[in-house]
Amino acid sequence: MTSRKSASVRRDDILSATLDIAFKVGPTRVTTGMIADRLNLTQPAIYKHFSSKDDIWAAVATYLSQKINDNVTRNQSETGAPDTQVRSLVLDHLELVRDNPALPEIMLMRDAKGSHAIVQTSIQSSIGALRAALVANAAAAVKQGLFRADIDVNDIATLIFGIIQSLVLRMLVTRDPEMLISNGERLLDLQLSGFMKAGDMQ
Amino acid sequence: MTSRKSASVRRDDILSATLDIAFKVGPTRVTTGMIADRLNLTQPAIYKHFSSKDDIWAAVATYLSQKINDNVTRNQSETGAPDTQVRSLVLDHLELVRDNPALPEIMLMRDAKGSHAIVQTSIQSSIGALRAALVANAAAAVKQGLFRADIDVNDIATLIFGIIQSLVLRMLVTRDPEMLISNGERLLDLQLSGFMKAGDMQ
Amino acid sequence: MTSRKSASVRRDDILSATLDIAFKVGPTRVTTGMIADRLNLTQPAIYKHFSSKDDIWAAVATYLSQKINDNVTRNQSETGAPDTQVRSLVLDHLELVRDNPALPEIMLMRDAKGSHAIVQTSIQSSIGALRAALVANAAAAVKQGLFRADIDVNDIATLIFGIIQSLVLRMLVTRDPEMLISNGERLLDLQLSGFMKAGDMQ
Amino acid sequence: MTSRKSASVRRDDILSATLDIAFKVGPTRVTTGMIADRLNLTQPAIYKHFSSKDDIWAAVATYLSQKINDNVTRNQSETGAPDTQVRSLVLDHLELVRDNPALPEIMLMRDAKGSHAIVQTSIQSSIGALRAALVANAAAAVKQGLFRADIDVNDIATLIFGIIQSLVLRMLVTRDPEMLISNGERLLDLQLSGFMKAGDMQ
DNA sequence: TATGAATGAGGCTTCATTCAT
DNA sequence: CATGAATGAAGCCTCATTCAT
């Protein structure tokens, strides 16, 4: 019944199935059996493509890290105003989470026996890069007189991340990834308006 | 040779151990065996105090819900200025999370058979009450001319929750609950300043 | 709450509760916890009256054996016609089963670790006595020309036991002990009529 | 080092082992561990073939029901005299019990959560069909003047079942299934002779 | 590239039983 | 005569993983 697929396609199928299931039941409850079921495979077949479950999670982490890094790199290569760049970084990240709604929980997934340390480290360092980009753009915005100078640029980044976290939390409760986008833009503008020089507010 | 303890003390011990372990390994990985080990009991001894593992989680949820509700109730009975109340509600909640750092993950804990639905519902409805209190105070602040009138009060609440979430996320990564308090006050003031009428800023 | 009772009363309570529960859930599923619950006692309290669960079953067996033996003895001391005696033995036994409907299953209860061997042995030897009494009376009936002489008296006993077993089986399925009596008399008469000399039939 | 067997063979092995052990220790005491031991398997291996212990019992019940039904169907398709049919139905059933001596106790097996209700229902309804066939043949025998007309056909069936029950009881006590056959024929003839018209008796 | 049978570790839960009070 | 806390053995079931085919 199962269409035999090439190894690389199967690997992608497995990662994709893992992400889907992780969102549905929570990353720690994903079993190799669930993955196999969804792909109409037998459970041991998974082990033809990944040597262990940890290996799957490592690949998932690599995949998600890459996506986060892509976002940062892409935006860095553009030459807009710093506040526009901030906007773009955040909205792109929200889209990434919408498309991979398991990301937040995977990021926090705890290791059995320390094996997931790599997973967290990988994603968290990409998130660190995103934060660094936000800080850099905030600093530029301050320098150009767009943002108030009396706020620490790290705190600006933290508040911006706060929007993301707040949206993510509500998404996890409502189970509706689309709301990230529909509410994100408005809240982001609102937050940014708090950083604007008084004269620029409106 | 464990010291024999009274039932009510043991129940509390179990709940407390559950919260500790939940923070360390993540709520979904807590086993009755871990709880027993930490209390120097055999694993079946747990069942003299709780009829099932679900029963333990239900008690944990009740405990945490109560704490959240207490915070809301306590603050509602005071008669400060609305912006002061907002500050107090948030800081008290951060202290609660510092003392029970497993709370955020428990709130999102998912369960196989949906038996934890009660757990989530209970805590989430308490969080809903906290949000409602923030919205009410924000509305009062707008009415009294303390906050800008051009922001939706629900968005204000969302941004304030954003601070909490952002701090919680960093706490979960750094594993240091104390940072919630040390950073919370500053970020909260910063966030609130964005809501203040222009003339009141600074 | 629990009225403190004298030891001998409690022993009887425990045996009685054991019999009730054995009928309801089957003898092998009776637990000391169930017995304690029914008597509003704590589980270990049972061990003040019986040194082990096996000890309870031994007492139950002694009690039931005694009842069966009483029936045999009582009927042997009477001086009726042998066919009347057979009738009386069977109907009395059916009443005994009606009053102790767990008896049949207890008789067949298998031992964990051979400890119930005593239980079975005790009851089964009483049943053996009942059978012996039936055989003796059947022989007398044949001698007196009441029963056909062409039937082995052991087979007569087996067929009579067949009525009992058949009724017991239906009782176990319908869960209605009263039906033993309401159907027993008619079936017994029918069965006996098959043993009667042709001329005596009707 | 166990010989690896195909799934369908293993399923049958498990059912067969279950029946054997059920006769030896009683159906309620059968554990998945015992089944596995007998097959030189690890206990969880059972769960590759049956999703739960209840599932095993359901399969056992289906198997036994089928056998009982087969007996009824086979006999119904034959065209012998009604009293011959009765004889055949009973003797075939006794052979079935000889080959599956756990049947009687399984039929009465009770379950904690009522999940075995299906087990009992299934077998008991097959037994019901057997009884119905006996009643029908008894009625035909009465109509053809073979059996006495003054006996209720239902009572005839009950007495015939009595033979079976009586034999089963002795078999359970003696633990010797062969005695079902060696004694069954004689007792059955004896019982039937009681139903015969006086003139036909011999 | 996959299947099919099986394992070993570990988790939840029940229950008879002990012992101090 | 009884309670209250606790234990050890055992049972059901899940899951990652192995290995022969």
Side-chain angles (χ1 to χ4, degrees):
Chain A
M1 296 304 149
T2 311
S3 55
R4 252 171 135 88
K5 294 195 183 181
S6 77
S8 81
V9 170
R10 266 291 184 243
R11 269 185 72 95
D12 289 352
D13 283 353
I14 290 171
L15 296 184
S16 172
T18 302
L19 281 167
D20 282 358
I21 300 168
F23 179 54
K24 214 197 300 189
V25 306
T28 56
R29 282 202 216 280
V30 176
T31 71
T32 56
M34 289 176 185
I35 299 170
D37 275 359
R38 170 167 299 227
L39 300 177
N40 283 318
L41 285 178
T42 59
Q43 199 206 23
I46 305 294
Y47 288 83
K48 294 295 164 184
H49 303 279
F50 292 92
S51 65
S52 74
K53 206 184 162 195
D54 281 351
D55 199 23
I56 298 177
W57 282 119
V60 166
T62 302
Y63 170 81
L64 292 174
S65 288
Q66 189 60 49
K67 290 275 185 185
I68 298 168
N69 286 335
D70 286 354
N71 176 20
V72 174
T73 311
R74 183 181 348 106
N75 275 285
Q76 264 168 343
S77 70
E78 283 174 19
T79 55
D83 60 334
T84 307
Q85 295 250 25
V86 166
R87 235 177 150 267
S88 179
L89 281 166
V90 172
L91 293 179
D92 283 3
H93 188 70
L94 287 176
E95 277 180 30
L96 177 53
V97 176
R98 178 199 58 193
D99 295 338
N100 301 278
L103 196 164
E105 286 180 279
I106 291 173
M107 210 169 92
L108 294 176
M109 194 169 53
R110 225 71 53 78
D111 50 329
K113 57 188 169 169
S115 47
H116 290 172
I118 317 121
V119 176
Q120 299 171 54
T121 305
S122 165
I123 300 186
Q124 282 171 12
S125 87
S126 293
I127 291 283
L130 174 58
R131 165 178 272 268
L134 288 174
V135 168
N137 278 297
V142 168
K143 199 167 200 174
Q144 296 180 22
L146 295 167
F147 282 2
R148 290 158 57 188
D150 60 336
I151 317 181
D152 183 283
V153 288
N154 279 298
D155 287 347
I156 287 180
T158 299
L159 289 187
I160 288 173
F161 262 98
I163 299 173
I164 298 174
Q165 297 316 317
S166 196
L167 287 165
V168 162
L169 184 73
R170 292 176 73 95
M171 182 272 283
L172 288 176
V173 171
T174 62
R175 315 303 303 163
D176 171 26
E178 290 300 335
M179 62 78 70
L180 292 170
I181 311 301
S182 56
N183 287 289
E185 199 160 0
R186 186 183 74 257
L187 283 165
L188 179 59
D189 287 341
L190 182 53
Q191 185 67 280
L192 292 180
S193 78
F195 305 142
M196 293 290 181
K197 273 265 174 81
D200 301 330
M201 275 209 301
Q202 188 61 259
Chain B
M1 297 311 124
T2 310
S3 58
R4 270 165 119 87
K5 293 196 184 182
S6 80
S8 81
V9 170
R10 264 295 182 238
R11 266 185 77 94
D12 289 350
D13 283 355
I14 290 170
L15 296 184
S16 172
T18 302
L19 282 166
D20 283 358
I21 300 167
F23 179 55
K24 212 197 293 189
V25 307
T28 57
R29 280 202 221 278
V30 176
T31 71
T32 55
M34 289 176 185
I35 299 170
D37 276 357
R38 168 167 301 225
L39 301 177
N40 283 317
L41 287 177
T42 58
Q43 187 249 18
I46 303 294
Y47 287 81
K48 294 292 168 185
H49 303 281
F50 292 91
S51 64
S52 73
K53 204 184 164 192
D54 279 355
D55 200 23
I56 298 177
W57 282 120
V60 166
T62 301
Y63 170 81
L64 293 175
S65 288
Q66 190 59 50
K67 291 274 184 185
I68 299 169
N69 287 336
D70 286 352
N71 176 20
V72 174
T73 311
R74 184 180 347 107
N75 276 286
Q76 263 167 343
S77 68
E78 283 174 20
T79 55
D83 59 334
T84 308
Q85 296 249 25
V86 167
R87 236 177 148 266
S88 177
L89 281 166
V90 173
L91 294 179
D92 283 3
H93 188 69
L94 288 176
E95 278 179 30
L96 177 53
V97 177
R98 178 199 56 191
D99 296 338
N100 301 278
L103 197 164
E105 285 179 281
I106 290 174
M107 210 169 93
L108 294 176
M109 189 168 55
R110 238 141 341 144
D111 174 38
K113 345 157 236 215
S115 49
H116 288 179
I118 316 125
V119 175
Q120 298 170 51
T121 306
S122 167
I123 299 186
Q124 284 172 9
S125 90
S126 293
I127 292 284
L130 173 58
R131 166 177 270 268
L134 289 175
V135 168
N137 278 296
V142 169
K143 199 167 200 174
Q144 296 180 20
L146 296 167
F147 282 2
R148 290 158 56 188
D150 62 337
I151 317 181
D152 184 283
V153 287
N154 280 298
D155 286 347
I156 288 180
T158 299
L159 290 186
I160 289 173
F161 261 98
I163 301 173
I164 298 175
Q165 297 316 318
S166 195
L167 288 165
V168 162
L169 184 73
R170 293 178 72 95
M171 181 272 282
L172 288 176
V173 171
T174 61
R175 315 305 302 165
D176 170 27
E178 289 301 335
M179 63 77 70
L180 292 170
I181 309 302
S182 55
N183 287 290
E185 201 161 0
R186 187 183 73 258
L187 283 165
L188 179 58
D189 287 340
L190 180 54
Q191 185 68 280
L192 292 181
S193 78
F195 304 141
M196 294 290 182
K197 273 266 175 80
D200 300 331
M201 273 210 303
Q202 191 64 253
Chain C
M1 295 302 153
T2 312
S3 55
R4 252 169 136 88
K5 294 193 181 180
S6 78
S8 81
V9 170
R10 266 291 184 243
R11 268 185 74 94
D12 289 351
D13 284 353
I14 290 171
L15 295 184
S16 172
T18 302
L19 282 167
D20 282 358
I21 300 167
F23 179 55
K24 215 195 300 189
V25 307
T28 56
R29 282 203 217 281
V30 176
T31 70
T32 56
M34 289 175 185
I35 299 170
D37 274 0
R38 171 168 297 226
L39 300 177
N40 284 318
L41 286 178
T42 58
Q43 199 204 22
I46 304 294
Y47 287 83
K48 293 296 163 185
H49 303 280
F50 293 92
S51 65
S52 74
K53 206 185 162 193
D54 281 351
D55 199 22
I56 297 177
W57 282 119
V60 165
T62 302
Y63 170 82
L64 292 175
S65 289
Q66 190 60 50
K67 290 274 184 184
I68 298 168
N69 287 335
D70 286 352
N71 176 21
V72 174
T73 312
R74 182 179 350 105
N75 276 286
Q76 263 168 343
S77 69
E78 283 173 20
T79 56
D83 59 335
T84 308
Q85 295 249 25
V86 167
R87 235 177 150 268
S88 178
L89 281 166
V90 173
L91 293 180
D92 283 2
H93 187 68
L94 287 177
E95 278 179 30
L96 177 52
V97 177
R98 178 199 55 192
D99 296 338
N100 301 276
L103 196 163
E105 285 179 280
I106 290 173
M107 211 170 91
L108 294 176
M109 193 168 54
R110 226 69 52 76
D111 51 327
K113 60 191 166 167
S115 47
H116 289 173
I118 316 121
V119 176
Q120 298 170 53
T121 306
S122 166
I123 300 185
Q124 283 171 11
S125 88
S126 294
I127 292 284
L130 173 58
R131 165 177 272 267
L134 288 175
V135 169
N137 279 296
V142 169
K143 200 167 200 174
Q144 297 180 20
L146 296 168
F147 282 2
R148 292 158 54 188
D150 61 338
I151 317 180
D152 184 282
V153 287
N154 280 298
D155 287 346
I156 289 181
T158 300
L159 290 187
I160 289 173
F161 262 98
I163 301 173
I164 298 175
Q165 297 317 317
S166 196
L167 287 166
V168 162
L169 184 72
R170 293 178 71 95
M171 182 272 283
L172 288 176
V173 170
T174 62
R175 316 303 304 162
D176 171 27
E178 291 300 335
M179 63 79 70
L180 293 170
I181 310 302
S182 56
N183 287 290
E185 201 160 0
R186 186 183 74 258
L187 283 165
L188 180 59
D189 288 341
L190 180 53
Q191 186 68 283
L192 291 181
S193 78
F195 305 141
M196 294 291 183
K197 274 263 176 83
D200 301 331
M201 273 211 303
Q202 189 62 250
Chain D
M1 294 308 128
T2 312
S3 59
R4 271 164 119 90
K5 295 196 183 180
S6 79
S8 81
V9 170
R10 265 294 182 241
R11 265 185 77 95
D12 290 350
D13 284 354
I14 290 171
L15 295 185
S16 173
T18 302
L19 282 167
D20 283 358
I21 300 167
F23 179 55
K24 210 195 300 187
V25 307
T28 58
R29 281 202 221 280
V30 176
T31 71
T32 55
M34 289 175 184
I35 299 170
D37 276 358
R38 169 167 300 227
L39 301 177
N40 283 317
L41 286 177
T42 59
Q43 185 251 18
I46 303 294
Y47 288 82
K48 294 292 169 184
H49 303 282
F50 291 92
S51 64
S52 71
K53 203 186 164 191
D54 280 354
D55 199 23
I56 297 177
W57 282 119
V60 166
T62 302
Y63 170 81
L64 293 174
S65 289
Q66 190 60 50
K67 290 275 184 186
I68 298 168
N69 287 336
D70 286 352
N71 177 20
V72 174
T73 311
R74 183 180 349 105
N75 276 287
Q76 263 167 343
S77 69
E78 285 174 18
T79 56
D83 58 335
T84 308
Q85 295 250 25
V86 165
R87 235 178 149 266
S88 179
L89 280 167
V90 172
L91 294 179
D92 284 2
H93 188 69
L94 287 175
E95 277 180 31
L96 177 52
V97 176
R98 179 199 55 193
D99 295 338
N100 301 277
L103 197 164
E105 286 179 279
I106 290 173
M107 211 170 91
L108 294 176
M109 190 170 52
R110 244 149 328 154
D111 174 39
K113 345 160 237 213
S115 48
H116 288 177
I118 316 126
V119 176
Q120 299 171 51
T121 305
S122 167
I123 299 186
Q124 283 172 11
S125 89
S126 293
I127 291 285
L130 174 57
R131 165 177 273 266
L134 289 175
V135 169
N137 279 296
V142 168
K143 201 168 197 175
Q144 297 180 20
L146 297 167
F147 282 2
R148 292 159 54 189
D150 62 336
I151 317 181
D152 185 284
V153 288
N154 280 298
D155 286 346
I156 289 180
T158 300
L159 290 186
I160 290 173
F161 262 98
I163 301 173
I164 299 175
Q165 297 317 319
S166 196
L167 288 165
V168 162
L169 184 72
R170 292 176 71 94
M171 181 271 283
L172 289 176
V173 170
T174 62
R175 317 303 303 163
D176 170 27
E178 290 300 336
M179 63 79 69
L180 292 170
I181 310 302
S182 55
N183 288 290
E185 201 159 358
R186 188 183 71 257
L187 283 166
L188 178 59
D189 287 340
L190 181 53
Q191 184 69 276
L192 291 181
S193 78
F195 304 141
M196 294 291 183
K197 274 260 174 88
D200 300 331
M201 275 207 303
Q202 184 64 257

